[in-house]
Amino acid sequence: MRSVQAFAPATVANVSCGFDILGFAIEGMGDRVTLKEKDHPGLVVTSIQGDGGKLPKDPLKNTCSVAIQALLDELGTDVGMEIFLEKGLPLGSGMGSSAASAVAALVAANELLGNPFQKKDLLPFAMAAEKAACGAGHADNVGPSLLGGFVLIRDYHPLDVIKLHVPKDLYCTLLHPHFELKTADSRSVLRESIPLKHATIQSGNVAGLVAGLYEEDYELISRSLKDVIAEPYRAVLIPGFYEVREAVKEVGALGVGISGSGPTLFCLSKGKEKAAQIAESAKKVYQSLGLGVDVYFSAINTQGGYMLEN
């Protein structure tokens, strides 16, 4: 029986001004999924490592199996597979943990089936898994995890996803404080409606960020990394947010925001050296607050999900 393995990277969603429509992928961090063919139809989640026993093995609830089943349903086939998931991302971290699992599973399944789909065409199946995981099939994590780089979701009906230009010296520093913030809690504080003034500001910042990426204008990117819709309400749920933001901007961060629904923060910068300085500055702040934190920095991942050698 054949066996294949794939990897999918961590992601940052929203990217401050781009609530539910922008995301980008990170180098190095992510999930691995191994698939093995089996004699009989049906999907079986055989093992999950790195989740502390928290993720379901029920194929109707696990994001890997939900994504693969959506793919199989589209093909009208019932090929049997065993699923082995290795979590490299913490749960409830705001780094696209459920998205990475789903994308790695889909990339592997597509390979196992002889690549019936182009990579971009796997996106709806990943969104189905996201809906099963958190109740909403957003693409701002699964999009960049699958396709790599910066991704813009222009519309969902019909789905219109665009890969954006990535400046070659753009780096991201991720700060993951040691506590879990549930997506449901983070969404519960958001307002049902927003003032026209805020909608105008947010639209201008999204346009400015996209223009800044294409022009490789780091000052414009910096000016555009402002969120008036979600961040003002979510920041209060994340200890140290304002202290960290002030400290890292002093050492040259282009901007600071909440990665996805949090509690991880992301900081964009120009160059690897600056990203490292931001990491050290943030560590000192968390230490002064008595909070543990995992810190990671990398260039933007432009590859997305990919196959691994077994």
Side-chain angles (χ1 to χ4, degrees):
M1 290 295 177
R2 289 186 63 209
S3 172
V4 297
Q5 186 179 79
F7 175 87
T11 49
V12 169
N14 297 339
V15 198
S16 293
C17 55
F19 183 74
D20 281 353
I21 64 169
L22 282 176
F24 63 85
I26 299 296
E27 289 280 8
M29 301 177 68
D31 288 357
R32 294 170 182 253
V33 170
T34 301
L35 298 181
K36 293 182 180 180
E37 287 181 318
K38 61 188 188 73
D39 290 328
H40 305 291
L43 303 177
V44 177
V45 182
T46 301
S47 74
I48 304 175
Q49 299 177 14
D51 69 327
K54 294 181 180 179
L55 292 178
K57 289 186 177 180
D58 182 345
L60 297 178
K61 297 178 180 178
N62 186 280
T63 56
C64 294
S65 47
V66 170
I68 295 172
Q69 189 60 59
L71 182 154
L72 294 176
D73 289 345
E74 180 68 20
L75 291 174
T77 186
D78 57 358
V79 174
M81 301 181 194
E82 281 190 88
I83 301 166
F84 302 80
L85 170 61
E86 298 173 55
K87 292 297 298 178
L89 299 176
L91 309 182
S93 62
M95 290 189 278
S97 178
S98 61
S101 298
V103 168
L106 284 168
V107 171
N110 198 46
E111 175 73 19
L112 195 63
L113 294 167
N115 293 298
F117 293 100
Q118 296 292 316
K119 197 176 186 184
K120 63 181 177 59
D121 295 326
L122 298 174
L123 190 54
F125 311 135
M127 291 170 61
E130 283 284 77
K131 186 174 183 179
C134 61
H138 298 297
D140 49 349
N141 282 122
V142 292
S145 188
L146 178 65
L147 303 173
F150 263 84
V151 170
L152 167 69
I153 298 90
R154 191 201 65 81
D155 200 355
Y156 282 92
H157 307 289
L159 186 63
D160 189 359
V161 176
I162 303 150
K163 279 195 71 172
L164 305 177
H165 177 73
V166 178
K168 63 180 180 180
D169 291 327
L170 189 63
Y171 272 72
C172 175
T173 303
L174 287 179
L175 313 169
H176 177 225
H178 292 172
F179 70 96
E180 183 176 341
L181 177 59
K182 295 183 183 300
T183 300
D185 294 337
S186 192
R187 280 197 171 265
S188 70
V189 300
L190 300 180
R191 301 299 187 263
E192 289 292 330
S193 60
I194 58 174
L196 179 60
K197 176 183 177 181
H198 288 173
T200 303
I201 293 171
Q202 199 87 341
S203 298
N205 284 332
V206 171
L209 178 56
V210 172
L213 291 172
Y214 277 96
E215 295 292 327
E216 300 201 2
D217 185 335
Y218 291 91
E219 288 299 321
L220 178 55
I221 291 171
S222 180
R223 295 198 305 273
S224 303
L225 287 170
K226 294 180 175 63
D227 175 20
V228 297
I229 290 177
E231 185 179 288
Y233 306 107
R234 287 180 165 173
V236 297
L237 303 177
I238 303 173
F241 174 85
Y242 294 107
E243 294 90 336
V244 169
R245 184 173 68 176
E246 183 177 348
V248 299
K249 282 192 172 182
E250 286 180 1
V251 296
L254 298 173
V256 183
I258 301 169
S259 180
S261 57
T264 296
L265 305 184
F266 76 92
C267 314
L268 291 182
S269 59
K270 183 179 182 181
K272 186 176 182 178
E273 182 178 345
K274 187 64 67 178
Q277 292 175 356
I278 290 167
E280 290 304 312
S281 177
K283 282 181 186 177
K284 292 177 182 177
V285 174
Y286 282 112
Q287 189 173 39
S288 71
L289 296 172
L291 286 172
V293 64
D294 297 318
V295 178
Y296 182 84
F297 60 89
S298 84
I300 307 303
N301 175 337
T302 57
Q303 184 178 13
Y306 59 91
M307 294 300 302
L308 297 168
E309 293 291 334
N310 279 337

